[in-house]
Amino acid sequence: MDVVIRNANLADGQQGVDVAIENGRIAAVGPRLPLQAAQEIDAAGDLLSTPFVDAHFHMDATLSYGLPRVNASGTLLEGIALWGELKPHLTQQALIDRALQYCDWAVARGLLAIRTHVDVCDDRLLAVEALLEVKRLVAPYLDLQLVAFPQDGVLRAPNALINLKRAITMGVDVVGGIPHFERTMAEGAESVRILCEYAADQGLMVDMHCDESDDPMSRHIETLAYQSNRLGLHGRVTGSHLTSMHSMDNYYVSKLLPLIREAGVAAIANPLINITLQGRHDTYPKRRGMTRVPEMLAAGIPVAFGHDCVMDPWYSLGSGDMLEVAHMGLHVAQMTGQAAMRDCFRAVTSTPAAILGLQDYGVAPGCHADLVLLDAADPVEAIRLRAARRMVMRRGKIIAESPRAQARLSLPGRPEQVNFRLNR
């Protein structure tokens, strides 16, 4: 064996597990494996997890905060306007440099797969070319999946549909859309039909920004589910944001959720962004803004969490830490039950991995040896502490390490070291 990781806890609750790795894949999993290896790693009862997966991001805009100016209002619409101002001044190399820097941040935090939307409304397709190059450069250590995203509306923006198809021809993976940004509700619905038919014809997945609005009458997720059902796209379609669902009446949602489930449509919530951008027109009481995560999970709809933005025109914060995303999602959705908190951990690991269609993802024989060793005993503790990543492994090779988090005190009469781990 190349590597054996000893005495690890797994996210499914197994404890004291050994994981054997050979030729970049997991060869065996079990307690006290009677195997020798060139390298042995003592997990010491820490959580050995699959890598984090971000199912919704905008890498073409990341780390561009302050260009060409700061979003003074902090609103979604000013952010979109700022991005429009910045696009003419973008250069391919600047896009590549910022994206690569972010990918370094991501890998250090155990984030090894990202689905990123890339704006196709610029006729030059600079961002598409840049991120295709980034995808090639990071392939040895990070899976990057690109969505052709018509930021300004596929019908509203000149050449957007042509550019989207050009981007797919160039190698972009997924068909995107933003129906609520079209000029009318009817055009939004028409854009969903056009894009889903194109995806069905090309054999592609679909991921649409859908109903990122406080307007309860923004109901394009209904159309997206209908078209998925009509065209047989089950399991290949995702609705991202879905924030209008937070403002819809319960009777309508009681009909909507079964439709989404039957259509095989997945959902992606973006807790950090939607809790800050939504409800801006409210006084008090203020709407929370995020979609109905617990209700969708209860209905059998796969729900993942996305980071969405990091230091860009829409969001001045962020660090590429998916545990921070899970932590915010847990609080905003009031998912503090034991099972619900574990659902939040799955929302940044196994659920988005399934949505992206990642192959051989897991901690089981035959899976890729892509693993993260966290300074925590279980998923709940990992979220609570935003646990340090002791080790990040890709295909059986360690690509990032960090020390355990320890707090030391020098108070008279008190222990020198304080351990924030409660279940040791």
Side-chain angles (χ1 to χ4, degrees):
M1 290 292 149
D2 298 324
V3 182
V4 175
I5 302 171
R6 301 284 186 188
N7 190 27
N9 292 350
L10 303 185
D12 63 5
Q14 295 184 70
Q15 297 183 348
V17 174
D18 295 348
V19 177
I21 297 165
E22 189 170 34
N23 297 324
R25 290 185 179 268
I26 296 173
V29 178
R32 295 180 296 279
L33 293 175
L35 299 170
Q36 292 185 334
Q39 181 182 17
E40 290 208 1
I41 298 168
D42 182 11
D46 278 341
L47 175 62
L48 186 67
S49 171
T50 48
F52 297 107
V53 179
D54 185 356
H56 188 101
F57 194 62
H58 291 267
M59 195 171 287
D60 52 356
T62 195
L63 307 187
S64 64
Y65 177 70
L67 300 175
R69 55 186 174 82
V70 169
N71 184 337
S73 67
T75 61
L76 172 63
L77 292 180
E78 185 175 355
I80 292 174
L82 269 173
W83 180 241
E85 293 175 26
L86 178 58
K87 275 194 289 189
H89 305 289
L90 292 173
T91 67
Q92 191 172 115
Q93 193 58 51
L95 285 163
I96 291 171
D97 290 345
R98 287 194 289 264
L100 289 176
Q101 182 179 353
Y102 182 77
C103 288
D104 289 347
W105 291 11
V107 169
R109 290 161 175 81
L111 172 54
L112 300 188
I114 300 172
R115 174 183 279 184
T116 179
H117 297 252
V118 53
D119 189 359
V120 298
C121 288
D122 179 356
D123 290 340
R124 300 170 298 169
L125 294 183
L126 276 181
V128 172
E129 292 179 351
L131 290 191
L132 284 169
E133 175 64 7
V134 170
K135 179 178 178 177
R136 183 187 69 81
L137 291 171
V138 304
Y141 54 90
L142 187 150
D143 293 307
L144 189 60
Q145 191 176 91
L146 306 184
V147 182
F149 177 48
Q151 171 77 73
D152 300 326
V154 76
L155 297 178
R156 182 174 181 173
N159 300 326
L161 183 57
I162 294 171
N163 290 343
L164 183 145
K165 293 179 178 180
R166 286 171 57 204
I168 295 295
T169 302
M170 292 164 65
V172 172
D173 309 286
V174 182
V175 175
I178 186 166
H180 59 278
F181 199 66
E182 302 292 353
R183 293 191 183 277
T184 66
M185 294 292 284
E187 284 206 333
E190 178 68 359
S191 76
V192 173
R193 181 191 67 79
I194 290 169
L195 292 167
C196 285
E197 288 181 353
Y198 174 68
D201 181 65
Q202 298 296 311
L204 298 171
M205 293 187 287
V206 176
D207 188 339
M208 291 196 189
H209 287 58
C210 216
D211 305 323
E212 190 179 4
S213 167
D214 295 324
D215 179 6
M217 299 309 294
S218 185
R219 298 179 174 184
H220 296 295
I221 181 58
E222 178 184 77
T223 306
L224 183 61
Y226 169 78
Q227 295 295 347
S228 175
N229 224 359
R230 180 178 74 86
L231 296 166
L233 293 172
H234 304 79
R236 290 162 49 190
V237 177
T238 302
S240 292
H241 292 289
L242 308 182
T243 60
S244 69
M245 196 185 298
H246 193 281
S247 300
M248 292 174 182
D249 68 83
N250 290 335
Y251 175 71
Y252 175 71
V253 173
S254 73
K255 297 193 303 178
L256 177 62
L257 295 185
L259 176 65
I260 297 172
R261 184 191 65 245
E262 291 162 12
V265 173
I268 300 171
N270 297 288
L272 294 170
I273 307 307
N274 289 134
I275 195 64
T276 56
L277 292 182
Q278 307 312 131
R280 287 282 180 148
H281 298 287
D282 292 355
T283 53
Y284 289 93
K286 264 185 178 290
R287 285 169 286 185
R288 301 175 72 85
M290 197 169 79
T291 192
R292 301 190 186 205
V293 175
E295 291 81 1
M296 285 195 287
L297 288 171
I301 299 165
V303 181
F305 291 158
H307 205 312
D308 198 7
C309 304
V310 171
M311 295 183 68
D312 67 11
W314 297 274
Y315 189 61
S316 60
L317 306 173
S319 65
D321 186 351
M322 294 307 294
L323 283 176
E324 181 182 0
V325 176
H327 188 268
M328 177 62 79
L330 182 157
H331 284 83
V332 176
Q334 299 177 328
M335 295 175 67
T336 51
Q338 289 296 309
M341 289 190 284
R342 292 176 182 272
D343 283 338
C344 289
F345 189 82
R346 283 189 284 270
V348 294
T349 51
S350 56
T351 301
I355 291 172
L356 268 63
L358 298 182
Q359 300 297 309
D360 300 329
Y361 175 97
V363 185
C367 292
H368 291 303
D370 297 347
L371 300 164
V372 181
L373 183 60
L374 294 155
D375 185 15
D378 57 50
V380 174
E381 187 172 73
I383 294 173
R384 179 175 70 86
L385 298 175
R386 272 81 85 211
R389 284 64 164 170
R390 289 181 53 195
M391 177 196 75
V392 179
M393 179 177 282
R394 171 78 166 183
R395 304 299 195 261
K397 305 293 184 184
I398 296 174
I399 58 174
E401 294 180 277
S402 61
R404 280 179 151 176
Q406 301 287 355
R408 296 188 177 276
L409 300 179
S410 57
L411 300 178
R414 299 294 299 277
E416 179 182 330
Q417 183 170 300
V418 175
N419 190 349
F420 294 99
R421 306 277 294 277
L422 298 183
N423 46 3
R424 274 287 189 262

